[in-house]
């Protein structure tokens, strides 16, 4: 790991310290098992996501990190063969039995790996969520568009071409548009599944900066295969391996002094 | 040794060229036959194809016969076939692609839709005769013919729509579901707009199939007599292919009927080429943009 990251970790360890522990849990996962057909992908996952924090999930390809984050808003159920056991409690209610998927996904929004704007204008992309939830007044929608695009730090770049095709934007801009689109329906939690893996370094830096700003108002869970990224932007880090949660702790701890040998091997680049 | 190899190279090159020519000839064969057909039809019918022919009523006298009523019959037939196949076909495709879970029942339906596409059209005619003409008492009306024809071309619309829906990338659905949209909202706002060009292409091709089909209408017992111009969906009617059939059949009695048939074939072919061109135009214009 490079010098700058180590310094950042030490600084944040000093500045934030134990205050992190006191934040309330938003999502609690209790004994979650998950199968694709007959093959088990997640084994007995137990972890809490805390309010106004960035929780990073790291691990090698195929470790179940993407599967886990997609389970948090039940997007995983788009796959017919998925079966789950165990509980995920969001705000005191079991997401599998006490929420409809529509209600859950409105409160737990998602940004995907590959920027996926709809083949519509920038404006239409942002108002898609609010429209789906029944907001029709143009004035209200206009306000939502400006607020969301500002919130995703892309307003200045697109304000003159709101009604142009979203596919005319660069990859990085498309991804920030997707974040804006998620902010538009005011979720409480934002899930991000490797949001920068398809982007260049400059776009990646912008998104990381944006995540730091969003954290003050939203709870963020981010899957990343980039360990430096996890170290730079997250408060807590979970390390997944072969469908099991190996270690979950303060990011500082995971990257400087992990408890488990496998975590240490992974973060120091010995495998993965 | 070396000259032997060179000889073999020449032999291989000759073989290579003759294979290319063989494939080219195979391609040309169908085009050639089509060319002969068009040549024959045009030389026989073109001189009969005038405004009087297009705007006149049917008559036993070939000099005065016109096909306005026949064209109206075909148009009204499409007025029935169009909405029925579009609605039933697209709804079926949406159900199979978006709603039905992978199951034995879904496979069963899928296989049988493919089977339906392979059923000879005369069988559909018998089905229409039993169900629409007799059971629902629609006789040999445009409505009975249209419903029968709808069944016949339904598999084309279903399969084309399914393919168009399947081609909509999954990440667009994920975007919509991820924002809390229901399945229906996702289908209506994302999937259908993206699949529409493909659906329309299949729809137009199915209509052009329906325009050209003869057998089901023959089985329904479309009267051979001189028909008045139909004025409602319950009218008896005659359509372009069936008129061609009867005129060709009766050419043994009155020789000029063969020329009328040829002129009608020209009209039918022009309509078919126009519709197929429209389908290709739509497909090219809305090429995938994601």
């Amino acid at each position: 790991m490079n010098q700058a990251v180590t310094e950042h970790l030490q600084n944040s360890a000093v500045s934030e310290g134990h205050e992190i522990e006191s934040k309330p849990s938003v999502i609690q996962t209790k004994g979650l098992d998950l199968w694709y057909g007959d093959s088990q992908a997640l084994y007995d996952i137990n972890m809490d996501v805390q309010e106004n924090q960035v929780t990073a999930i790291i691990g090698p390809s195929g470790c179940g990190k993407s599967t886990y984050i997609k389970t948090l808003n039940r997007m995983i159920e788009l796959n017919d063969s998925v079966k789950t056991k165990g509980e995920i409690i969001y705000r005191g209610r079991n997401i599998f039995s006490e929420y409809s998927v529509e209600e859950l996904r409105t409160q737990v929004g998602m940004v995907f790996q590959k920027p996926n704007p709809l083949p519509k204008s920038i404006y239409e992309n942002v108002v898609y969520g609010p429209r789906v939830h029944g907001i029709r007044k143009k004035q209200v929608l206009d306000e939502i568009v400006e607020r969301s695009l500002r919130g995703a730090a892309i307003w200045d770049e697109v304000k003159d071409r709101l009604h142009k095709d979203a596919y005319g934007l660069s990859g990085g801009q498309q991804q920030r548009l997707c974040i804006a689109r998620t902010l538009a329906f005011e979720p409480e939690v934002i899930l991000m599944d490797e949001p920068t893996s398809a982007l260049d370094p400059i776009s990646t830096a912008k998104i990381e900066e944006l995540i730091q700003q969003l954290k003050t108002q939203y709870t963020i869970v981010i899957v990343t295969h980039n360990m430096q990224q996890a170290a730079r932007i997250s408060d807590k880090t979970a390390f997944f391996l072969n469908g099991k949660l190996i270690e979950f702790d303060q990011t500082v701890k995971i990257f400087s002094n992990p408890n488990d040998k496998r975590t240490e091997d992974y973060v120091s680049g010995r495998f993965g | 040794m070396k000259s032997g190899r060179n000889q073999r190279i020449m032999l291989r090159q000759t073989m290579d060229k003759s294979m290319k020519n063989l494939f080219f000839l195979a391609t040309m064969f169908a085009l050639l036959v089509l060319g002969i057909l068009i040549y024959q039809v045009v030389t026989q019918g073109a001189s009969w194809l005038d405004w009087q022919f297009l705007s006149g009523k049917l008559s036993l006298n070939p000099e005065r016969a016109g096909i306005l009523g026949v064209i109206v019959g075909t148009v009204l037939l499409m007025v029935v076939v169009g909405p029925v196949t579009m609605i039933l076909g697209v709804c079926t495709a949406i159900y199979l692609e978006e709603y039905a879970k992978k199951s034995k029942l879904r496979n069963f339906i899928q296989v049988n839709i493919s089977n339906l596409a392979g059923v000879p059209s005369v069988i559909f005619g018998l089905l229409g005769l039993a169900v629409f003409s007799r059971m629902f008492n629609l006789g040999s009306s445009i409505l009975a013919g249209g419903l029968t024809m709808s069944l016949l071309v339904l598999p084309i619309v279903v399969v084309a729509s399914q393919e168009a829906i399947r081609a909509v990338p999954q990440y667009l659905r994920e975007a919509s579901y991820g924002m809390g949209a229901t399945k229906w909202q996702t289908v209506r706002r994302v999937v259908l707009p993206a699949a529409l060009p493909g659906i329309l292409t299949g729809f137009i091709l199915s209509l052009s199939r329906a325009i050209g089909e003869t057998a089901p209408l023959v089985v329904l017992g479309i009267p051979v007599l001189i028909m008045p111009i139909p004025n409602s969906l319950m009218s008896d009617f005659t359509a372009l292919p069936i008129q061609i059939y009867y005129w060709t059949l009766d050419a043994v009695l009155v020789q000029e009927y063969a020329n009328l048939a040829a002129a009608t074939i020209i009209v039918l072919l022009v309509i078919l080429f126009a519709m197929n061109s429209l389908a290709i135009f739509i497909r090219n214009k809305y090429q995938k943009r994601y």
Side-chain angles (χ1 to χ4, degrees):
Chain A
M1 195 180 314
N2 67 39
Q3 191 61 36
V5 172
T6 319
E7 259 170 41
H8 164 80
L9 288 177
Q10 282 160 355
N11 290 342
S12 57
V14 172
S15 60
E16 293 175 34
H18 293 284
E19 166 194 2
I20 291 167
E21 290 295 345
S22 63
K23 299 210 167 166
S25 290
V26 178
I27 304 176
Q28 296 148 290
T29 305
K30 296 177 182 174
L32 178 74
D33 293 303
L34 185 143
W35 293 264
Y36 290 108
D38 293 329
S39 77
Q40 188 160 5
L42 294 177
Y43 296 84
D44 192 30
I45 307 295
N46 292 283
M47 65 181 272
D48 285 7
V49 172
Q50 288 169 332
E51 197 170 53
N52 296 102
Q53 287 206 337
V54 177
T55 303
I57 301 175
I58 60 169
S61 301
C63 69
K65 56 190 193 297
S66 254
T67 299
Y68 174 67
I69 198 172
K70 282 185 188 151
T71 310
L72 294 179
N73 67 345
R74 291 176 59 186
M75 286 296 284
I76 197 75
E77 291 173 19
L78 293 188
N79 184 330
D80 284 345
S81 68
V82 162
K83 286 188 300 262
T84 57
K85 216 184 89 197
E87 287 183 334
I88 297 179
I89 307 293
Y90 168 63
R91 289 292 178 203
R93 285 150 70 195
N94 187 339
I95 66 163
F96 298 114
S97 56
E98 293 172 274
Y99 280 93
S100 67
V101 285
E102 291 82 17
E103 186 191 0
L104 179 69
R105 288 171 191 161
T106 307
Q107 297 183 36
V108 183
M110 187 160 212
V111 176
F112 297 85
Q113 186 167 356
K114 197 181 151 215
N116 60 348
L118 298 167
K120 299 172 189 279
S121 70
I122 294 167
Y123 184 95
E124 284 299 321
N125 264 280
V126 180
V127 300
Y128 186 89
R131 281 234 169 99
V132 154
H133 297 106
I135 298 176
R136 291 225 166 68
K137 270 199 177 154
K138 189 171 182 307
Q139 199 194 337
V140 180
L141 292 174
D142 287 350
E143 281 166 16
I144 289 175
V145 168
E146 179 166 353
R147 177 171 47 77
S148 309
L149 290 170
R150 279 190 194 284
I154 192 180
W155 171 254
D156 290 331
E157 291 159 66
V158 300
K159 65 182 177 208
D160 298 324
R161 46 171 171 159
L162 290 178
H163 296 283
K164 295 264 166 63
D165 193 348
Y167 283 54
L169 298 174
S170 74
Q173 288 172 324
Q174 287 186 13
Q175 195 61 303
R176 276 179 287 145
L177 173 63
C178 291
I179 294 175
R181 190 174 70 176
T182 305
L183 303 183
F185 55 88
E186 298 177 349
E188 182 182 16
V189 180
I190 301 176
L191 308 175
M192 298 185 172
D193 185 5
E194 302 197 26
T196 62
S197 65
L199 305 182
D200 62 84
I202 294 170
S203 304
T204 300
K206 279 188 183 158
I207 302 249
E208 288 185 6
E209 198 187 321
L210 178 57
I211 291 172
Q212 292 304 315
Q213 291 166 20
L214 291 175
K215 175 181 135 170
T216 57
Q217 292 175 60
Y218 302 90
T219 303
I220 295 170
V221 183
I222 179 169
V223 163
T224 175
H225 60 221
N226 177 338
M227 280 180 282
Q228 275 83 7
Q229 182 170 66
R232 278 193 300 266
I233 64 174
S234 71
D235 302 297
K236 291 186 85 169
T237 297
F239 172 58
F240 276 57
L241 185 64
N242 298 329
K244 297 189 178 96
L245 175 59
I246 304 299
E247 192 166 352
F248 179 44
D249 213 326
Q250 307 299 333
T251 298
V252 190
K253 179 90 163 52
I254 294 279
F255 282 93
S256 57
N257 183 24
N259 287 332
D260 197 290
K261 179 76 170 58
R262 289 166 293 182
T263 314
E264 192 183 341
D265 287 350
Y266 184 71
V267 298
S268 59
R270 238 162 272 165
F271 74 97
Chain B
M1 177 70 200
K2 201 153 202 183
S3 74
R5 186 191 294 172
N6 280 342
Q7 241 175 1
R8 272 205 303 279
I9 288 181
M10 295 222 329
L11 197 67
R12 282 162 52 203
Q13 285 173 334
T14 315
M15 187 69 178
D16 196 38
K17 280 211 184 82
S18 29
M19 286 318 283
K20 178 188 155 192
N21 290 337
L22 179 72
F23 295 140
F24 178 71
L25 284 178
T27 313
M28 282 300 116
F29 180 74
L31 280 183
L32 186 72
V33 174
L34 181 67
I36 293 172
L37 171 84
I38 290 178
Y39 174 76
Q40 266 202 334
V41 163
V42 168
T43 48
Q44 200 179 359
S47 60
W48 290 75
L49 190 61
D50 53 18
W51 180 245
Q52 188 268 326
F53 181 71
L54 290 175
S55 64
K57 292 180 181 176
L58 286 173
S59 162
L60 288 176
N61 177 357
E63 297 294 338
R64 287 197 310 177
I67 57 167
L68 181 62
V70 185
I71 294 174
V72 171
T74 287
V75 169
L76 287 179
L77 194 67
M78 291 310 114
V79 167
V80 176
V81 174
V84 172
T85 50
M86 190 70 173
I87 292 167
L88 284 181
V90 174
C91 288
T92 306
I94 291 173
Y95 174 73
L96 289 175
E97 288 304 313
E98 299 289 321
Y99 288 86
K101 298 222 156 135
K102 282 194 192 101
S103 70
K104 289 209 170 113
L105 177 69
R106 184 180 179 279
N107 284 343
F108 179 78
I109 296 174
Q110 191 70 63
V111 166
N112 279 295
I113 284 172
S114 307
N115 282 343
L116 219 51
V119 172
S121 53
V122 67
I123 310 282
F124 279 100
L126 289 171
L127 182 74
L129 182 68
V131 177
F132 300 124
S133 292
R134 301 273 161 79
M135 201 192 284
F136 292 129
N137 231 351
L138 297 175
S140 50
S141 64
I142 293 175
L143 191 58
L147 291 174
T148 307
M149 211 59 109
S150 301
L151 287 185
L152 174 70
V153 299
L154 196 54
I156 303 175
V157 181
V158 173
V159 171
S161 304
Q162 275 188 288
E163 274 163 15
I165 289 171
R166 214 176 299 146
V168 176
Q170 186 64 14
Y171 58 74
L172 294 183
R173 292 184 184 84
E174 287 178 351
S176 175
Y177 288 130
M179 289 187 268
T182 61
K183 189 156 260 187
W184 166 235
Q185 286 173 322
T186 303
V187 167
R188 185 166 69 86
R189 291 164 194 250
V190 176
V191 178
L192 280 185
L196 199 59
I199 293 175
L200 279 183
T201 306
F203 174 66
I204 294 169
L205 292 179
S206 79
L207 280 192
S208 59
R209 167 94 194 272
I211 281 185
E213 270 296 336
T214 322
L217 301 181
V218 173
V219 176
L220 278 183
I222 306 297
V224 202
L225 297 169
I226 302 303
M227 306 278 301
I229 294 171
N231 54 16
S232 87
L233 292 184
M234 293 313 290
S235 308
D236 281 349
F237 73 109
T238 171
L240 290 167
I242 207 165
Q243 196 62 41
I244 294 168
Y245 175 71
Y246 284 128
W247 267 333
T248 311
L249 217 57
D250 291 346
V252 289
L253 308 174
V254 183
Q255 226 178 355
E256 284 83 1
Y257 282 168
N259 301 335
L260 293 179
T264 314
I265 290 173
I266 298 175
V267 173
L268 182 60
L269 285 181
V270 167
I271 294 175
L272 288 180
F273 287 157
M275 289 179 73
N276 288 356
S277 309
L278 182 65
I280 292 169
F281 172 77
I282 290 177
R283 191 166 54 204
N284 291 345
K285 172 153 188 182
Y286 296 97
Q287 282 288 356
K288 283 202 193 82
R289 50 195 229 116
Y290 26 76

